[in-house]
Amino acid sequence: LPSAVLLKDMKLMDVKLGQLGSWLAMRDFTPGGILGAIRRGYERYYNKYINVRKGGLGGISMLLAGYVVLSYTWSYSHIKHDRRRKYH
């Protein structure tokens, strides 16, 4: 039988929908906790896609695609106002 995992140690993908509120209440939302989560996420991404023996373009292309999506969302309000404007 698999050993029981505490709710606070479970990953988000393993949490059932009914447990989501309790799981979120156990998270650390202090600035240090948020920075630690960002650091752990960056390290996981770096070790999985960048720091590999035979790497490809997958990790770099995901990073560039994320940048393109982020820059589009930042400039969307400006783009939205320009789309119905006539240039003549």
Side-chain angles (χ1 to χ4, degrees):
L1 293 172
S3 63
V5 179
L6 294 174
L7 183 61
K8 69 175 189 158
D9 296 332
M10 292 177 83
K11 294 180 181 176
L12 178 59
M13 295 300 292
D14 298 332
V15 175
K16 293 191 170 44
L17 195 56
Q19 300 171 327
L20 187 60
S22 303
W23 184 83
L24 281 173
M26 292 182 195
R27 300 292 101 196
D28 184 14
F29 288 108
T30 62
I34 293 172
L35 284 175
I38 291 171
R39 187 177 304 121
R40 285 190 306 273
Y42 171 76
E43 288 173 2
R44 284 186 63 198
Y45 173 82
Y46 183 80
N47 287 327
K48 187 172 182 178
Y49 295 107
I50 305 298
N51 191 21
V52 292
R53 187 172 300 229
K54 292 185 84 172
L57 294 176
I60 305 284
S61 62
M62 280 195 302
L63 196 63
L64 288 174
Y67 172 73
V68 166
V69 168
L70 190 63
S71 65
Y72 180 77
T73 57
W74 281 339
S75 62
Y76 179 74
S77 63
H78 180 71
I79 293 170
K80 185 174 73 170
H81 292 299
D82 287 344
R83 68 181 167 191
R84 298 206 186 264
R85 195 174 290 167
K86 291 184 178 179
Y87 296 99
H88 58 76

